[in-house]
Amino acid sequence: MFFKSSLGRRILRADNVWKEQRFIAAVPAGLIDSTLIGEDAEQPLILQGAVDCMFEENGKLYIVDFKTDRCYNKAELWGRYGVQLKLYSEAMAQVTGKTIADCMLYSFYMNDVVEDPEKNS
């Protein structure tokens, strides 16, 4: 079902695709805790993780995180994982040296892409 979706077809046509791409990167503490300000927000924290799927189109990277949560509310799902994707984006930009064009969730429960609700506002 996934590979029949527009995102699945897009990944199949991508220039490059990586799955379970592991990383270690230093990210500003403010990305993890938005209440931090000034020098505290800039302190580096070591982040270790794995991106479910990353694909490349025209030299830009796109990150997809797959979710199985039983949720039909896209804003709620993004609220659960939006910070995680911001962290992944920062880490993968550092690791690869390439622009991260977009991050998205793919909900298997909804069979749909979930994007940052603030992206198009």
Side-chain angles (χ1 to χ4, degrees), residues 21-98:
Q21 185 66 40
R22 298 198 172 282
F23 64 84
I24 297 175
V27 298
L31 283 179
I32 296 171
D33 184 349
S34 62
T35 64
L36 297 174
I37 57 172
E39 289 182 17
D40 290 339
E42 296 303 317
Q43 290 297 314
L45 295 177
I46 301 300
L47 180 67
Q48 179 179 337
V51 171
D52 288 344
C53 179
M54 184 170 61
F55 64 98
E56 184 175 16
E57 290 177 331
N58 302 315
K60 293 182 181 176
L61 298 178
Y62 297 82
I63 294 173
V64 182
D65 197 46
F66 297 107
K67 297 299 177 193
T68 58
D69 301 45
R70 291 179 164 255
C71 178
Y72 277 116
N73 184 310
K74 289 183 175 186
E76 179 183 337
L77 195 63
W78 187 267
R80 293 179 193 173
Y81 299 106
V83 171
Q84 174 186 349
L85 285 175
K86 287 179 185 176
L87 293 169
Y88 283 7
S89 179
E90 176 73 20
M92 294 314 294
Q94 284 180 33
V95 169
T96 65
K98 293 187 178 188

